Amino acid sequence: MPNNLSELLPQMQQAVLDGDEQEAARLAQLALEQGFAPLDAINRGYLPGIRETGRLWEEGEYFLPELVTAAVAMKAAMAILNPAIEREQDGQAIGTVVLGTIQGDIHDIGKTLVGTLLSANGFSVLDLGCDVPIERFVQEATQIKADLVCASALLTTTMLSQRDLVLAVREAGLKAKVMVGGAPVTQKWADEIGADGFADNAVAAVEVAKGLVVHRAA
């Protein structure tokens, strides 16, 4: 049995690459039992596995099934680690987020990873899933008094709805900031539609979200 985190980390990465849900969860539990910080496990173990999965996808070595199973393995680990993170934070979220993939778009993996990392970094996240109507974004954000509304789009056709979402949030009188992302989305597009923030990857999304929450609080 590994007795230090450096031995566990490559196994965590491999569990994600293999899409091994049970192994990813087992290693997460083992890390907690041995007193390792859950954020270390995420940032140094599971996250590198997801990044490597993305690289292999871009190079044509991985395909959709591998992406899906890797995401499932990551979520299994997070199901173990998130409660520990919440205990460390005494249940005090640094911000409340409504997250989803815009209507007409069923891509889920990148959005799910963003939600996972936001949760791991102290945000309370309501993940609405994919193919989410604009009206539901606004309804849920209103109900939970969201600090952030985050919308992903993976198609050039569906990214147009991000503009409508920004307008809907403003027209509803919500104080929530709007952050957009997704494969075809750029900073130029975010600026054009009046979004408050943009991130081109999940790690960057956390830093942008933190900045938007601080800005709103000010």
Side-chain angles (χ1 to χ4, degrees):
M1 178 181 294
N3 56 16
N4 63 70
L5 188 58
S6 64
E7 295 179 38
L8 282 179
L9 295 176
Q11 296 180 48
M12 292 170 175
Q13 179 175 347
Q14 193 61 48
V16 172
L17 287 168
D18 293 341
D20 192 333
E21 180 180 359
Q22 292 185 346
E23 179 68 358
R26 184 189 72 81
L27 291 168
Q29 184 61 48
L30 182 58
L32 293 181
E33 289 173 356
Q34 296 187 0
F36 301 129
L39 280 177
D40 278 344
I42 295 167
N43 292 330
R44 298 168 57 197
Y46 296 106
L47 184 55
I50 284 291
R51 286 174 174 160
E52 180 66 6
T53 300
R55 186 189 69 79
L56 293 170
W57 157 265
E58 290 173 356
E59 295 186 356
E61 295 185 40
Y62 270 20
F63 300 95
L64 185 59
E66 287 82 7
L67 287 181
V68 171
T69 55
V72 169
M74 179 81 176
K75 290 172 73 172
M78 291 304 303
I80 303 294
L81 297 171
N82 264 340
I85 293 170
E86 291 172 1
R87 286 193 297 271
E88 288 184 355
Q89 296 165 343
D90 296 325
Q92 296 298 315
I94 64 174
T96 303
V97 180
V98 170
L99 171 72
T101 304
I102 209 77
Q103 188 170 24
D105 200 322
I106 61 171
H107 293 83
D108 197 51
I109 295 172
K111 179 271 303 171
T112 300
L113 180 56
V114 169
T116 296
L117 293 188
L118 287 173
S119 295
N121 283 273
F123 287 87
S124 173
V125 178
L126 175 59
D127 188 340
L128 304 180
C130 55
D131 194 21
V132 181
I134 290 170
E135 296 78 11
R136 188 171 178 217
F137 276 107
V138 174
Q139 177 185 6
E140 298 291 352
T142 301
Q143 184 171 344
I144 68 172
K145 296 182 173 64
D147 297 296
L148 294 175
V149 175
C150 300
S152 174
L154 273 291
L155 303 172
T156 55
T157 51
T158 56
M159 68 183 274
L160 299 176
S161 294
Q162 291 178 329
R163 184 199 304 272
D164 298 330
L165 175 61
V166 172
L167 290 173
V169 169
R170 304 290 185 259
E171 290 174 356
L174 300 182
K175 295 181 179 180
K177 302 291 185 179
V178 180
M179 182 166 68
V180 295
V185 182
T186 62
Q187 182 66 61
K188 181 179 178 181
W189 170 248
D191 293 340
E192 181 180 328
I193 66 176
D196 301 291
F198 158 76
D200 61 2
N201 63 73
V203 175
V206 173
E207 296 308 311
V208 173
K210 288 178 178 178
L212 291 174
V213 169
V214 169
H215 180 72
R216 180 186 169 184

